[in-house]
Amino acid sequence: MPQLLLTELAPAKVNLFLHIVGRRADGYHLLDSLAVFPGAADRLMAGHAPSLALTVTGPFGDGLDAGPDNLVLRAARVLAERSGVTAGAALVLDKRLPVASGIGGGSADAAATLRLLSRLWSISLPDGVLRELALGLGADVPICMAGQAARMGGVGDQLSPAPALPPFGAMLVNPGVAVFTPEVFRTRTGPFSGKAFLPRSWPDAANMARDLSALANDLEAPALRLCPAVGDVLAWLRAQPGCLLARMSGSGATCFGVFRDGRAASAVADRVPLPWWAWGGGFTDRPGSA
Ligand code: C5P
C-alpha cells in the first residue's frame, strides 16, 4: 500500500426542512431546503500511485462497492479528465456514515474526493468548473463542496446564505435500512409546497425549532410508506427529553432531533436502541456561511 499523504473529512449534510416546490421536465425535483453540517463525517485518505484505486474500510464499508461506479472513483476520473492529469491515486474511504441514508454520505465522499485530489495533484480548477463537475456527480454534491450551512434551491445546486444559526444540539438516528433516493422521489404524490419564509437569524435553538416545526420534509411521507422504520425512529426521538424537533433528513431513512445544545443531544445518544446507528453533538455555525 503506498503511503497515504493527505486526509479530508466528508461531513454529512442534514436537511432541517425540505420542500418540493416543483418538477423539471427531466423528472428532477425543484427544492427549497436548509442544509447544515452537524459534524458526523466519513474520512478519505489519498497517496500517490500510478493508477486510481479505492479501498473501503470502516463500520459501513461492507455495504459499499469499491468498484468503478463508486462516486469516489467517478469523482476522481472526472477531475483527472477535466484537468488533464494522468497520474493516479491510492484512495482509502473510511465509511463511518450509513449508506443510502439521506445525509448525503456518497455526495460528501465525492466532494471530499474533488478537494483531496486537487491537493494531491496540485491542481486548481476555477470554482465554477468545480461546481459544474460536482453537479454532474449528483444534485447534493455542490452543497457538500460548500461544506457549510446554506439554503438550497434549484435541484439542490443553487446555494444561497442560510439564516445566522444559533448553537444547537443535533442527534442523528438511522434504523439500518437503506432507502433509495429515486424511489422516494417517485413515490411522492400531491401538490407542491411553497417556498419557506425564514428570518435572517434565530436567537436560540428553541426559536429555530419552533419556526422549523411549521415547515416539513416533503419526502418524509413517501419514505415512511417505503420504510416504516422511519416512523419508529421519529417516535423514539420525539419521546427523548429535550428534543425540540424531530424530522427526517433528505430522502431518509436518517432522522434528526434538534436539542438546546450538544450536551443535551449527546445525553440521549447512549439510549439509542441497538442496532440503530446514532450520532450526537453540538452544532456551531461558521461565520460567512453561504
Ligand atoms: O442527483 P442524484 O444522483 O443524487 O439524484 C438521485 C435521484 O434522486 C435522481 O435520479 C432523481 O430521481 C432524484 N432527485 C430528484 N430531484 C432532485 C434530486 C434528486 O428527483 N432535486
Side-chain angles (χ1 to χ4, degrees), residues 13-18 33-34 101-103 172-175 179 184 216-225 227 229-231 233-234 237-238 245-257:
K13 65 102 200 88
V14 170
N15 302 92
L16 292 180
F17 78 94
L18 193 163
S33 183
L34 176 58
S101 74
I103 50 177
L172 311 184
V173 183
N174 180 278
V179 175
V184 178
N217 180 348
D218 290 340
L219 296 177
E220 209 172 272
L224 266 164
R225 286 204 287 282
C227 175
V230 167
V233 173
L234 288 171
L237 275 167
R238 287 183 183 125
L245 168 79
R247 175 166 290 159
M248 192 183 81
S249 175
S251 54
T254 306
C255 299
F256 63 91

Side-chain angles (χ1 to χ4, degrees), residues 69-286:
D69 282 344
N70 188 294
L71 261 185
V72 167
L73 287 176
R74 285 177 49 204
R77 284 198 305 271
V78 295
L79 182 68
E81 274 160 28
R82 189 59 175 256
S83 50
V85 165
T86 53
L91 292 153
V92 177
L93 173 63
D94 183 12
K95 193 74 199 158
R96 296 168 180 214
L97 303 170
V99 175
S101 74
I103 50 177
S107 306
D109 299 340
T113 305
L114 295 177
R115 291 193 298 267
L116 188 66
L117 292 183
S118 294
R119 285 163 60 203
L120 187 79
W121 292 336
S122 302
I123 50 180
S124 167
L125 290 177
D127 284 352
V129 174
L130 273 177
R131 267 201 302 276
E132 185 194 314
L133 293 184
L135 183 57
L137 291 162
D140 272 351
V141 184
I143 177 75
C144 291
M145 280 298 280
Q148 352 188 329
R151 187 92 178 254
M152 300 166 74
V155 296
D157 59 315
Q158 286 168 27
L159 306 183
S160 56
L165 296 168
F168 65 93
M171 169 99 204
L172 311 184
V173 183
N174 180 278
V177 183
V179 175
F180 295 98
T181 303
E183 214 182 336
V184 178
F185 274 103
R186 261 200 312 273
T187 305
R188 193 208 71 89
T189 51
F192 296 119
S193 295
K195 265 193 82 173
F197 169 78
L198 300 183
R200 290 160 83 88
S201 65
W202 282 295
D204 55 36
N207 272 279
M208 180 180 80
R210 189 204 55 213
D211 284 357
L212 290 173
S213 301
L215 308 174
N217 180 348
D218 290 340
L219 296 177
E220 209 172 272
L224 266 164
R225 286 204 287 282
L226 295 166
C227 175
V230 167
D232 300 335
V233 173
L234 288 171
W236 184 87
L237 275 167
R238 287 183 183 125
Q240 299 314 302
C243 182
L244 302 169
L245 168 79
R247 175 166 290 159
M248 192 183 81
S249 175
S251 54
T254 306
C255 299
F256 63 91
V258 170
F259 292 79
R260 193 186 58 228
D261 53 30
R263 199 196 301 206
S266 308
V268 298
D270 294 345
R271 304 156 53 139
V272 173
L274 289 171
W276 291 359
W277 171 85
W279 180 94
F283 171 88
T284 314
D285 202 7
R286 282 194 265 161

